[in-house]
Amino acid sequence: MNKNRFKPVFPHKVFSLFLFFAVILGIASQQVFAESCGNEFHNAGQDCKGCHGNKFSVAGTIYLDKGVSIPLEGALIKITDAMGVKASLYSNRVGNFRLYENMTPPLQVSVAYQGRELFMNAKAAYGGCNNDGCHIPAAGKPGKVFIPARDYSLTGSVMEAGVDTGEISYDKDIKPIFDTKCVICHKSNGARSVSPLASYADVTAPAMLTPGSADSLLIQKLDKGSQLGTMWPYLNDAKQLQTIRDWIVNQNCLELSTSNVGGPVPDAEVKLKQGRIVKYQGYTNRNGNFILKKVKAGDYNVAISKKGYDTSTQTFRMDPNNRTTLDLSLKKR
Ligand code: HEC
Ligand code: HEC
């Protein structure tokens, strides 16, 4: 049929109304498909041809790791069919690829990445790579075509976790108490504006307290048993009073140290495990740093241990496309 001979049979108005609804419907259906399907970024690892049939001659998904957790973008898939027709295409960001051009099986297929090329041993009789019975171990499981990237070193450090010194900080411990219980009145336009308590300077003003002294006015005004203690009902918390008292009397209202992260932990054992199997293992040097060499892409459990410390475990993904260092802390027992 010659498409050029097509002429709209509708009167103009009806036709534009039809167009209007078609556009609305189109937008609506696109929104529905956006999350599940309707684009090339869906159903990774699933049997593409099972749904799409022969619309695709070849389709599948490529992964970086054997565990098929990290999709590989940019792998080059090369196909030569029985007639010698060649095609090549790249996997997208979820690892998917698909070819629309007709191909005559059996097909010779290879996958290349970072200068490495893997060939299929036998020619493929069917282009549905993720089809049950092809690169799929069992029904319902995702496809398993993977091409390992270069293995990279994993570097990291192990530091001693902060020790709780019991130190009191104005910003962390004192200010929140005054802000919630006192500042409503003790501020520039509050009911007791003559003695503001909104900042460190306000609170430590000479009229308010003398560092190191339990006779400070601030403490006396909060002393339940004392006649002066008219401000106690606003505080009404013995633990908070103790904190304020300790801060003034024992800590002289000073900030002791800014960081409570300890030093490096040398000779800590670092293990990367998959399941119960230790895949990589090493020790921190005297600066607390470690290197595990040639780590393959995949998901791991990291366990750090040293005598006298609590063993620390966490998950870690070695993703050559998104490399990070592994900085950890250990808590002294
Ligand atoms: C469970 C069924 C199902 C599976 C499995 C599936 N798709 Fe789809 N796919 C759909 C549906 C439904 C649409 C939307 C309708 C359409 O456009 O054909 C779609 C649309 C698409 C589109 C956009 C339209 C087109 O035909 O170009 C691409 C590209 C695509 N899929 C690629 C893939 C690839 C690659 C795989 C395998 C990794 C795959 N699909 C697996 C159901 C599926
Ligand atoms: C409802 C308003 C109000 C709140 C809330 C309040 N105060 Fe007062 N504060 C006053 C008034 C009024 C005075 C003066 C009368 C007195 O000393 O009893 C005062 C006096 C004081 C004084 C003596 C200095 C001065 O201005 O005379 C101190 C110190 C003080 N308050 C501390 C606090 C602390 C600490 C809190 C929070 C736990 C607090 N106040 C909560 C109203 C308030």
Side-chain angles (χ1 to χ4, degrees):
M1 193 186 95
N2 187 340
K3 280 177 191 158
N4 293 332
R5 272 212 308 236
F6 174 79
K7 282 196 187 92
V9 285
F10 299 108
H12 257 79
K13 275 185 185 159
V14 176
F15 186 65
S16 44
L17 201 69
F18 166 78
L19 257 182
F20 175 75
F21 279 114
V23 167
I24 296 278
L25 275 174
I27 290 168
S29 60
Q30 256 183 358
Q31 272 170 347
V32 171
F33 282 137
E35 302 127 29
S36 52
C37 50
N39 63 54
E40 57 182 304
F41 304 111
H42 68 163
N43 288 323
Q46 301 302 316
D47 182 8
C48 319
K49 285 184 58 135
C51 289
H52 290 277
N54 285 329
K55 187 173 179 189
F56 303 146
S57 51
V58 184
T61 312
I62 312 278
Y63 292 93
L64 254 178
D65 62 320
K66 203 174 172 179
V68 297
S69 49
I70 309 176
L72 178 56
E73 178 176 13
L76 176 63
I77 299 107
K78 292 192 233 167
I79 303 147
T80 308
D81 80 352
M83 320 301 283
V85 175
K86 286 178 192 296
S88 61
L89 63 159
Y90 287 97
S91 56
N92 67 22
R93 67 177 150 79
V94 299
N96 284 351
F97 62 92
R98 82 289 181 202
L99 188 68
Y100 293 99
E101 286 81 7
N102 265 327
M103 285 281 178
T104 314
L107 312 168
Q108 188 173 60
V109 184
S110 76
V111 182
Y113 187 66
Q114 285 183 342
R116 189 182 316 189
E117 189 168 12
L118 300 182
F119 287 86
M120 267 182 75
N121 283 335
K123 289 188 174 176
Y126 179 68
C129 314
N130 295 346
N131 188 56
D132 202 353
C134 296
H135 296 277
I136 199 161
K141 295 234 177 120
K144 242 182 183 299
V145 186
F146 71 97
I147 177 164
R150 256 183 235 123
D151 304 329
Y152 289 98
S153 294
L154 171 63
T155 58
S157 69
V158 180
M159 305 301 264
E160 204 161 272
V163 216
D164 190 1
T165 54
E167 161 195 328
I168 300 159
S169 144
Y170 170 73
D171 284 326
K172 277 215 315 270
D173 307 308
I174 303 295
K175 191 174 189 297
I177 300 175
F178 290 141
D179 280 355
T180 48
K181 295 186 170 173
C182 319
V183 168
I184 178 85
C185 295
H186 290 274
K187 62 179 175 189
S188 55
N189 51 2
R192 195 60 180 172
S193 55
V194 290
S195 52
L197 291 171
S199 68
Y200 180 82
D202 292 343
V203 174
T204 57
M208 276 291 165
L209 59 79
T210 307
S213 167
D215 291 334
S216 295
L217 179 64
L218 192 55
I219 296 175
Q220 295 196 40
K221 294 299 287 184
L222 292 170
D223 186 350
K224 192 162 51 163
S226 146
Q227 270 220 313
L228 267 176
T230 49
M231 294 298 120
W232 165 255
Y234 299 118
L235 185 67
N236 198 24
D237 185 319
K239 225 177 127 198
Q240 289 185 340
L241 176 58
Q242 192 60 46
T243 304
I244 294 170
R245 193 196 298 270
D246 285 347
W247 181 64
I248 296 170
V249 179
N250 300 332
Q251 212 177 291
N252 289 328
C253 308
L254 299 173
E255 299 292 302
L256 292 186
S257 73
T258 48
S259 145
N260 65 345
V261 172
V265 181
D267 302 318
E269 189 180 35
V270 182
K271 284 184 199 161
L272 290 195
K273 296 200 250 182
Q274 278 176 335
R276 299 180 60 189
I277 300 161
V278 177
K279 295 284 188 174
Y280 304 92
Q281 184 175 19
Y283 289 88
T284 55
N285 64 14
R286 70 192 148 92
N287 299 320
N289 298 322
F290 66 86
I291 296 186
L292 300 177
K293 292 204 169 132
K294 294 197 170 179
V295 176
K296 294 205 181 311
D299 288 323
Y300 297 93
N301 282 311
V302 187
I304 316 280
S305 55
K306 183 177 173 169
K307 221 177 155 187
Y309 292 82
D310 287 336
T311 296
S312 134
T313 55
Q314 66 176 78
T315 57
F316 176 73
R317 169 168 288 187
M318 185 65 182
D319 182 348
N321 299 315
N322 185 16
R323 278 184 291 150
T324 49
T325 63
L326 192 55
D327 297 319
L328 302 145
S329 60
L330 268 195
K331 216 169 178 175
K332 210 162 192 161
R333 226 176 259 160

